[in-house]
Amino acid sequence: MAVCRVVKNDNYSVMSNYHLKDKTISLKAIGLLSKVLSLPENWDYSITGLVSICKEQETTIETTLKELKEHRYLKVNKFLPNQTKSGRFEYEYIFYEFPYNLPELETH
């Protein structure tokens, strides 16, 4: 029998295990979602921001975000230039620990 020991010091995150056990999403999506959930709320949630803290390049981050959207762990709101202070297109990323509108979670 194998023994696995984990040394826990400090600077760790607490998050739901739901996405970690979800067999419908890739390990890449699990990892990116875990990384995002460990970041502070005021962090730069953009593709450029994510690329800056990941080994993966922009296209990989984009396809992984697309997977998270398809599995309802992410919603992206796009704001037109006339809706923003900067006068440019802006995006709001909303990440979920559980897929939103998940039927078995709505009754709890």
Side-chain angles (χ1 to χ4, degrees):
M1 180 168 95
V3 176
C4 178
R5 301 190 192 281
V6 178
V7 178
K8 293 183 181 178
N9 296 322
D10 60 3
N11 195 22
Y12 57 90
S13 300
V14 177
M15 64 186 73
S16 169
N17 286 329
Y18 189 89
H19 72 285
L20 299 171
K21 296 179 180 183
D22 187 345
K23 293 181 181 181
T24 67
I25 60 174
S26 68
L27 193 53
K28 197 171 10 178
I30 290 170
L32 184 60
L33 183 57
S34 296
K35 184 164 264 200
V36 165
L37 293 174
S38 76
L39 296 169
E41 209 170 296
N42 62 349
W43 193 82
D44 175 19
Y45 289 93
S46 66
I47 292 173
T48 304
L50 292 171
V51 168
S52 73
I53 61 167
C54 295
K55 177 182 175 182
E56 288 71 21
Q57 298 301 311
E58 189 172 314
T59 48
T60 303
I61 299 294
E62 287 173 343
T63 54
T64 307
L65 291 174
K66 182 179 177 187
E67 179 183 355
L68 290 171
K69 281 194 286 189
E70 289 170 355
H71 290 273
R72 298 178 312 200
Y73 284 98
L74 169 63
K75 279 187 185 178
V76 180
N77 296 321
K78 180 179 180 179
F79 297 97
L80 300 174
N82 65 336
Q83 298 173 306
T84 66
K85 289 181 183 177
S86 68
R88 299 184 337 210
F89 286 100
E90 292 184 12
Y91 298 88
E92 175 185 48
Y93 294 85
I94 305 169
F95 292 91
Y96 296 86
E97 288 186 311
F98 304 92
Y100 60 90
N101 298 330
L102 194 61
E104 67 259 23
L105 294 176
E106 289 179 354
T107 59
H108 294 91

